[in-house]
Coordinates of all heavy atoms in Angstrom, one line a residue:
Y4 N 10.0 -15.4 -51.1 CA 8.5 -15.4 -51.0 C 7.9 -15.5 -52.4 O 6.9 -16.3 -52.6 CB 8.0 -14.1 -50.3 CG 6.5 -14.1 -50.2 CD1 5.8 -14.8 -49.3 CD2 5.8 -13.2 -51.1 CE1 4.4 -14.8 -49.3 CE2 4.4 -13.2 -51.0 CZ 3.7 -14.0 -50.1 OH 2.4 -13.9 -50.0
S5 N 8.4 -14.7 -53.4 CA 7.8 -14.8 -54.7 C 8.0 -16.2 -55.3 O 7.1 -16.6 -56.0 CB 8.5 -13.7 -55.6 OG 9.9 -14.0 -55.7
Y6 N 9.1 -16.8 -55.0 CA 9.3 -18.2 -55.5 C 8.3 -19.2 -54.9 O 7.8 -20.1 -55.6 CB 10.7 -18.7 -55.2 CG 11.0 -20.1 -55.6 CD1 11.3 -20.4 -56.9 CD2 10.9 -21.1 -54.6 CE1 11.5 -21.7 -57.3 CE2 11.1 -22.4 -55.0 CZ 11.4 -22.7 -56.3 OH 11.6 -24.0 -56.7
S7 N 7.9 -18.9 -53.7 CA 7.0 -19.9 -53.0 C 5.6 -19.7 -53.5 O 4.8 -20.6 -53.4 CB 7.0 -19.7 -51.5 OG 6.6 -18.5 -51.2
V8 N 5.2 -18.6 -54.1 CA 3.8 -18.4 -54.5 C 3.6 -18.2 -56.0 O 2.6 -17.7 -56.4 CB 3.2 -17.2 -53.7 CG1 3.2 -17.4 -52.2 CG2 4.0 -15.9 -54.0
M9 N 4.6 -18.5 -56.7 CA 4.6 -18.2 -58.2 C 3.6 -19.0 -58.9 O 3.2 -18.7 -60.0 CB 6.0 -18.3 -58.8 CG 6.6 -19.7 -58.7 SD 8.2 -19.9 -59.4 CE 7.8 -19.4 -61.1
N10 N 3.2 -20.2 -58.4 CA 2.4 -21.1 -59.1 C 0.9 -20.9 -58.8 O 0.1 -21.7 -59.2 CB 2.8 -22.5 -58.8 CG 4.2 -22.8 -59.4 OD1 4.5 -22.3 -60.5 ND2 4.9 -23.7 -58.7
R11 N 0.5 -19.9 -58.0 CA -0.9 -19.7 -57.8 C -1.2 -18.2 -57.9 O -0.3 -17.4 -58.0 CB -1.3 -20.2 -56.4 CG -0.4 -19.7 -55.3 CD -0.7 -20.5 -54.0 NE 0.2 -20.1 -52.9 CZ 0.0 -19.1 -52.1 NH1 -1.1 -18.3 -52.2 NH2 0.8 -18.8 -51.1
A12 N -2.5 -17.9 -57.9 CA -2.9 -16.5 -58.1 C -2.4 -15.6 -57.0 O -2.5 -16.0 -55.8 CB -4.4 -16.4 -58.2
F13 N -1.8 -14.5 -57.3 CA -1.2 -13.6 -56.4 C -2.0 -12.3 -56.1 O -2.3 -11.6 -57.1 CB 0.2 -13.2 -56.9 CG 0.9 -12.2 -56.0 CD1 1.2 -12.6 -54.7 CD2 1.1 -10.9 -56.4 CE1 1.9 -11.7 -53.9 CE2 1.7 -10.0 -55.5 CZ 2.1 -10.4 -54.3
D14 N -2.5 -12.2 -54.9 CA -3.2 -11.0 -54.5 C -2.3 -10.2 -53.6 O -2.1 -10.6 -52.5 CB -4.5 -11.4 -53.8 CG -5.4 -10.2 -53.5 OD1 -4.9 -9.0 -53.8 OD2 -6.4 -10.3 -52.9
P15 N -1.8 -9.0 -54.0 CA -0.9 -8.3 -53.1 C -1.5 -7.7 -51.9 O -0.8 -7.3 -51.0 CB -0.4 -7.1 -54.1 CG -1.5 -7.0 -55.0 CD -2.1 -8.3 -55.3
F16 N -2.9 -7.7 -51.8 CA -3.5 -7.1 -50.6 C -4.0 -8.2 -49.6 O -4.6 -7.8 -48.6 CB -4.7 -6.2 -51.1 CG -4.2 -5.1 -51.9 CD1 -4.4 -5.1 -53.3 CD2 -3.7 -3.9 -51.3 CE1 -4.0 -4.0 -54.1 CE2 -3.3 -2.8 -52.1 CZ -3.4 -2.9 -53.5
S17 N -3.9 -9.5 -50.0 CA -4.3 -10.5 -49.1 C -3.2 -11.6 -49.0 O -2.6 -12.0 -50.0 CB -5.6 -11.2 -49.7 OG -5.3 -11.8 -50.9
I18 N -2.9 -12.0 -47.7 CA -1.9 -12.9 -47.4 C -2.5 -14.0 -46.6 O -3.1 -13.8 -45.5 CB -0.7 -12.3 -46.6 CG1 -0.1 -11.1 -47.5 CG2 0.4 -13.3 -46.3 CD1 1.0 -10.4 -46.7
S19 N -2.3 -15.2 -47.0 CA -2.9 -16.4 -46.3 C -2.0 -16.7 -45.1 O -0.9 -16.2 -44.9 CB -2.9 -17.6 -47.2 OG -1.6 -18.0 -47.6
D20 N -2.6 -17.6 -44.2 CA -1.9 -18.0 -43.0 C -0.6 -18.8 -43.3 O 0.4 -18.7 -42.6 CB -2.8 -18.8 -42.1 CG -4.0 -18.0 -41.6 OD1 -3.9 -16.8 -41.5 OD2 -5.0 -18.7 -41.3
E21 N -0.7 -19.6 -44.4 CA 0.5 -20.3 -44.8 C 1.7 -19.4 -45.2 O 2.8 -19.6 -44.8 CB 0.2 -21.3 -45.9 CG 1.4 -22.1 -46.4 CD 1.0 -23.0 -47.5 OE1 -0.2 -23.0 -47.9 OE2 1.9 -23.7 -48.1
D22 N 1.2 -18.3 -45.9 CA 2.3 -17.3 -46.4 C 2.8 -16.6 -45.2 O 4.0 -16.3 -45.1 CB 1.6 -16.4 -47.4 CG 1.2 -17.0 -48.6 OD1 1.7 -18.1 -49.0 OD2 0.3 -16.5 -49.3
K23 N 2.0 -16.3 -44.2 CA 2.5 -15.6 -43.0 C 3.5 -16.4 -42.3 O 4.6 -15.9 -41.8 CB 1.4 -15.2 -42.1 CG 0.4 -14.1 -42.6 CD -0.7 -13.8 -41.7 CE -1.6 -12.8 -42.2 NZ -2.8 -12.5 -41.2
L24 N 3.2 -17.7 -42.2 CA 4.2 -18.6 -41.5 C 5.5 -18.7 -42.2 O 6.6 -18.7 -41.6 CB 3.5 -20.0 -41.3 CG 4.4 -21.0 -40.7 CD1 4.7 -20.6 -39.2 CD2 3.7 -22.4 -40.7
Q25 N 5.5 -18.7 -43.5 CA 6.7 -18.8 -44.2 C 7.5 -17.5 -44.1 O 8.7 -17.5 -44.0 CB 6.5 -19.1 -45.7 CG 7.7 -19.4 -46.5 CD 7.4 -20.1 -47.8 OE1 6.3 -20.4 -48.1 NE2 8.5 -20.4 -48.6
I26 N 6.8 -16.4 -44.1 CA 7.5 -15.1 -44.0 C 8.2 -15.0 -42.6 O 9.3 -14.5 -42.5 CB 6.5 -13.9 -44.2 CG1 6.0 -13.8 -45.6 CG2 7.1 -12.6 -43.8 CD1 5.0 -12.8 -45.9
D27 N 7.5 -15.4 -41.6 CA 8.0 -15.4 -40.2 C 9.3 -16.3 -40.2 O 10.3 -16.0 -39.5 CB 7.0 -15.9 -39.2 CG 5.9 -14.9 -39.0 OD1 6.1 -13.7 -39.4 OD2 4.8 -15.3 -38.6
N28 N 9.2 -17.5 -40.9 CA 10.4 -18.3 -40.9 C 11.6 -17.7 -41.5 O 12.7 -17.8 -41.1 CB 10.1 -19.7 -41.6 CG 9.1 -20.5 -40.8 OD1 9.0 -20.3 -39.5 ND2 8.4 -21.4 -41.4
V29 N 11.3 -17.0 -42.6 CA 12.4 -16.3 -43.3 C 13.0 -15.2 -42.5 O 14.2 -15.0 -42.4 CB 11.9 -15.7 -44.7 CG1 13.0 -14.9 -45.4 CG2 11.6 -16.9 -45.6
R30 N 12.1 -14.4 -41.8 CA 12.6 -13.3 -40.9 C 13.5 -13.9 -39.8 O 14.6 -13.4 -39.5 CB 11.4 -12.6 -40.4 CG 10.7 -11.7 -41.4 CD 9.5 -11.0 -40.7 NE 8.9 -10.1 -41.7 CZ 7.7 -9.5 -41.4 NH1 7.1 -9.7 -40.3 NH2 7.2 -8.7 -42.3
T31 N 13.0 -15.0 -39.2 CA 13.8 -15.6 -38.1 C 15.2 -16.1 -38.6 O 16.2 -15.9 -37.9 CB 13.0 -16.8 -37.5 OG1 11.8 -16.3 -37.1 CG2 13.8 -17.4 -36.4
L32 N 15.2 -16.7 -39.8 CA 16.5 -17.1 -40.3 C 17.4 -16.0 -40.6 O 18.6 -16.0 -40.2 CB 16.2 -17.9 -41.6 CG 17.4 -18.4 -42.4 CD1 18.2 -19.4 -41.5 CD2 17.0 -19.0 -43.7
M33 N 16.9 -14.9 -41.2 CA 17.8 -13.7 -41.5 C 18.3 -13.0 -40.2 O 19.4 -12.6 -40.1 CB 17.0 -12.7 -42.3 CG 16.6 -13.2 -43.7 SD 15.7 -12.1 -44.7 CE 16.9 -10.8 -44.9
Q34 N 17.4 -13.0 -39.1 CA 17.8 -12.4 -37.9 C 18.9 -13.2 -37.2 O 19.9 -12.7 -36.7 CB 16.6 -12.3 -36.9 CG 15.6 -11.2 -37.3 CD 14.4 -11.2 -36.5 OE1 14.3 -12.0 -35.5 NE2 13.5 -10.3 -36.7
A35 N 18.8 -14.6 -37.3 CA 19.8 -15.4 -36.7 C 21.1 -15.3 -37.4 O 22.2 -15.3 -36.8 CB 19.3 -16.9 -36.8
V36 N 21.1 -15.2 -38.8 CA 22.3 -15.0 -39.5 C 23.0 -13.7 -39.2 O 24.2 -13.7 -39.0 CB 22.0 -15.1 -41.0 CG1 23.3 -14.7 -41.8 CG2 21.6 -16.5 -41.4

Side-chain angles (χ1 to χ4, degrees):
Y4 179 74
S5 60
Y6 175 80
S7 63
V8 297
M9 62 181 298
N10 292 325
R11 53 191 174 86
F13 175 65
D14 184 0
F16 298 100
S17 63
I18 300 177
S19 65
D20 294 337
E21 180 182 357
D22 296 336
K23 290 180 181 179
L24 179 61
Q25 188 164 1
I26 291 175
D27 292 337
N28 292 337
V29 172
R30 287 178 178 174
T31 302
L32 177 61
M33 295 179 65
Q34 291 175 359
V36 171

